[in-house]
Amino acid sequence: MLFAIISLVVLAATSLASKFTPTVRWIDCTQNVPAPLQAAFNSTTWPPGAPALDGLQCGLIDVPLDYETPYGEDNKITVALSFFTPPNITPKGTIFIHPGGPTEAQSAVWTRILNPAVFSDGMEDFELLTFDTRGTSKSTSLNCSPDLAAKIPLDLPRSRKEWDAYRVTVKNFAQSCHDNSTPPGAYKYVSTNEVIQDTENTLVQFLILMHSCMCIHFSGSYVWPEYVQKYPEHVGRVVLDAIPWKGQPDKKTTPNEIVAGSLALQRVDAFCLQNSSCPFYNSGQKGGVITAWKNATAIVKTGKLDCNGQKLTVGALQWALRVYVQNFGYPDFIDALQLVLSHNDGSGFGNVFGAAAGLLQILPFHCRDEGSLSSLPDCRRPYFEGLQRLLATPDEWDVGGLVRFRLVAICSSWPVPPRPKSTVSSKTKFPAVFVTSDFDLVLPIQLAFMRAAEATNATTVIRHGDHHTSLSILGPAHTIMGAYLANGIVVPSSNETLATVYAPEDKNKLGTIADPYAVGFGTLFGDV
């Protein structure tokens, strides 16, 4: 049994809140459908004719809002979970899917019913457990105003006047997080520290059910490596699906975000070269899309381009490159770019504003973690000069950065102090399988290389192609993940069309980025 028996008093380091005993309240799954599936079925409840939810259980666990304060009615929030047991078999163990994002995660377990292939390659014989991160979805949610999130400019400030105005929009958004959440001020307690304790409280409920536990951790949150270093006796096999860059200095992260944007542009160009009907086909020569991008950027800089009633700016165009390529696909991006060039019409990029406002909703989580990690001396103070140094990073094609640039700018104005800097080293000897992809626009591969190199006993798998995570993409990377989680099989180093594997002893070879024109397209390459 990979899980050690641990006391229900799992929070010894925070004794005031540790005296409560968490319990699960089971609820009707058909009336508590995860938001992504509500959208897919156009129904808030489980619709007639949909697959039966056999083996699925849904529950709620009350946990302390503030683990440093005595637990009680005025210091309590709810974490929502899903637990799946394969019918008619004796499970071999439990796979705990740790949410990334931070985001809704329960739909991952429901996927086991809707698309069983996602949990094939040995994973089909395991129970599945996950929960929505505190502050999101079915857990007690932060009700930050999407309208005020949309008012945060997509262009970063380059003058003192713009900086002052930018800070006001951030503070107004943060105030909405404070005022609209229940209890008020809940947005102050959404750091990795609290999520780690929520994880413990969730897992404690299932120790008596679990035969053994393996953990697969989705990208985005910083629970890895802190959780496995704090509770190594609670963890079996770990797969990190997309590799976060926590702790890397801005002088490394920002140039690599620009490189990732440039690679994305080249991927669109490579896609166009495969289709002579593409408006930027350029007689089969490289560079048609890149030229189109430069011309579109020049038009946008005139400030005269409208996008469904909003001004299309360079910052919005840079967001669009990531959002459209990552979420909507190459054809939509190409069509929108052509509309700018042929009709001075920016409406093809209209989806970027809503998508950006949605992404900004995770600011309370990241600023609580990231404030103390920026190379700027104190992320709460207006270090305008430091931001300008980042914005001066060489950027040949004006693709900009997405995540790090904005975290520095926004967290500098965030009214809540960052959590105490973690004393847990980002370096770890814990055995694991790390998975990344060549053209992940959320967590660029160059930063993944840095993190993977620090994990001395981790096998690193590079899935060749696009997309952020790999669990839903069937192919060699998926097979490697399943074999490790289910049976502890660690594969040796290899270099194949769909994936390259670096065993721990070959970590010194990490660093080669695939040619964006040489990697294929289609579902096997992550174009979902």
Side-chain angles (χ1 to χ4, degrees):
M1 188 169 180
L2 291 175
F3 249 82
I5 297 176
I6 59 175
S7 167
L8 285 176
V9 183
V10 294
L11 306 173
T14 53
S15 57
L16 287 176
S18 67
K19 297 178 181 179
F20 86 105
T21 301
T23 56
V24 181
R25 303 193 308 278
W26 297 109
I27 57 177
D28 184 355
C29 291
T30 65
Q31 303 300 310
N32 290 275
V33 180
L37 300 183
Q38 290 184 24
F41 286 104
N42 193 29
S43 175
T44 57
T45 59
W46 198 241
L53 299 179
D54 295 342
L56 183 67
Q57 294 176 277
C58 301
L60 303 171
I61 297 179
D62 292 332
V63 297
L65 170 66
D66 177 7
Y67 279 96
E68 299 290 342
T69 300
Y71 176 74
E73 288 300 318
D74 58 349
N75 184 38
K76 181 176 71 174
I77 60 170
T78 301
V79 172
L81 62 89
S82 289
F83 182 61
F84 175 79
T85 301
N88 305 319
I89 68 169
T90 300
K92 294 180 179 179
T94 304
I95 296 175
F96 176 58
I97 306 170
H98 200 289
T103 186
E104 180 277 331
Q106 292 189 78
S107 57
V109 168
W110 292 55
T111 298
R112 173 64 176 79
I113 296 172
L114 295 171
N115 185 10
V118 171
F119 290 97
S120 58
D121 289 321
M123 293 182 281
E124 62 270 23
D125 296 331
F126 285 74
E127 298 165 323
L128 302 176
L129 170 65
T130 193
F131 65 88
D132 293 338
T133 308
R134 60 165 53 207
T136 69
S137 199
K138 297 292 183 179
S139 295
T140 301
S141 296
L142 301 183
N143 295 313
C144 304
S145 167
D147 292 336
L148 291 176
K151 293 183 181 298
I152 300 175
L154 299 187
D155 290 80
L156 294 174
R158 294 180 180 270
S159 70
R160 289 282 185 180
K161 182 178 179 180
E162 290 176 349
W163 175 256
D164 291 340
Y166 189 91
R167 294 182 64 219
V168 169
T169 63
V170 172
K171 290 180 178 180
N172 289 341
F173 172 67
Q175 190 63 45
S176 79
C177 298
H178 179 281
D179 295 343
N180 299 341
S181 299
T182 304
Y187 80 122
K188 299 177 182 179
Y189 305 99
V190 290
S191 75
T192 293
N193 287 348
E194 287 85 18
V195 175
I196 286 175
Q197 304 296 1
D198 292 346
T199 301
E200 278 297 282
N201 282 311
T202 302
L203 291 179
V204 160
Q205 300 308 300
F206 291 88
L207 286 178
I208 59 172
L209 301 177
M210 291 179 180
H211 308 276
S212 58
C213 184
M214 289 36 138
C215 296
I216 179 168
H217 172 65
F218 283 172
S219 67
S221 79
Y222 300 137
V223 175
W224 171 273
E226 293 190 31
Y227 182 83
V228 295
Q229 290 191 56
K230 189 171 184 178
Y231 301 106
E233 71 277 15
H234 303 174
V235 179
R237 305 175 193 128
V238 172
V239 168
L240 183 57
D241 187 9
I243 308 173
W245 35 245
K246 178 184 178 182
Q248 298 291 349
D250 296 323
K251 64 182 179 182
K252 289 186 178 181
T253 55
T254 46
N256 284 318
E257 282 200 341
I258 290 172
V259 171
S262 300
L263 289 170
L265 205 55
Q266 291 175 82
R267 284 294 281 168
V268 182
D269 195 45
F271 179 83
C272 213
L273 288 176
Q274 297 192 4
N275 186 353
S276 60
S277 65
C278 174
F280 313 123
Y281 179 66
N282 196 35
S283 301
Q285 301 298 309
K286 294 179 181 179
V289 168
I290 295 165
T291 298
W293 170 266
K294 291 179 178 178
N295 292 338
T297 301
I299 293 173
V300 169
K301 285 181 178 178
T302 65
K304 300 178 181 179
L305 207 60
D306 179 75
C307 180
N308 299 339
Q310 299 188 69
K311 184 178 177 182
L312 187 65
T313 64
V314 173
L317 198 62
Q318 291 169 345
W319 271 80
L321 173 62
R322 273 80 171 181
V323 169
Y324 276 62
V325 170
Q326 191 85 37
N327 299 316
F328 303 133
Y330 299 108
D332 284 358
F333 179 79
I334 290 168
D335 291 345
L337 199 60
Q338 173 65 0
L339 200 59
V340 170
L341 295 174
S342 60
H343 294 90
N344 275 359
D345 182 354
S347 62
F349 289 120
N351 286 329
V352 72
F353 295 101
L359 288 172
L360 290 172
Q361 295 285 333
I362 68 173
L363 292 179
F365 304 87
H366 282 286
C367 284
R368 287 288 286 128
D369 276 321
E370 278 294 313
S372 60
L373 297 172
S374 172
S375 62
L376 304 180
D378 180 348
C379 214
R380 290 181 294 139
R381 293 164 59 187
Y383 279 88
F384 173 74
E385 293 81 4
L387 177 62
Q388 299 313 300
R389 288 195 295 271
L390 297 183
L391 291 173
T393 304
D395 186 358
E396 179 183 3
W397 297 338
D398 220 353
V399 295
L402 180 61
V403 178
R404 192 63 187 182
F405 284 85
R406 284 162 178 80
L407 282 180
V408 169
I410 290 169
C411 293
S412 299
S413 305
W414 201 248
V416 182
R419 69 179 180 129
K421 189 169 183 179
S422 172
T423 57
V424 179
S425 171
S426 60
K427 298 180 180 180
T428 176
K429 296 181 179 180
F430 199 90
V433 169
F434 285 5
V435 184
T436 185
S437 66
D438 294 314
F439 311 113
D440 183 348
L441 290 173
V442 180
L443 298 174
I445 190 171
Q446 306 93 311
L447 303 176
F449 287 153
M450 298 178 195
R451 178 61 67 241
E454 295 177 336
T456 55
N457 289 323
T459 296
T460 303
V461 181
I462 300 173
R463 180 179 54 75
H464 294 311
D466 309 292
H467 203 55
H468 178 38
T469 56
S470 299
L471 181 63
S472 62
I473 300 169
L474 303 184
H478 186 279
T479 300
I480 292 168
M481 294 164 68
Y484 181 66
L485 286 170
N487 299 303
I489 297 173
V490 180
V491 298
S493 295
S494 63
N495 186 10
E496 307 294 341
T497 301
L498 294 174
T500 295
V501 179
Y502 294 91
E505 62 270 19
D506 291 326
K507 285 195 178 296
N508 61 321
K509 298 178 183 178
L510 282 169
T512 301
I513 301 174
D515 180 350
Y517 292 91
V519 176
F521 295 92
T523 55
L524 285 175
F525 294 94
D527 299 316
V528 296

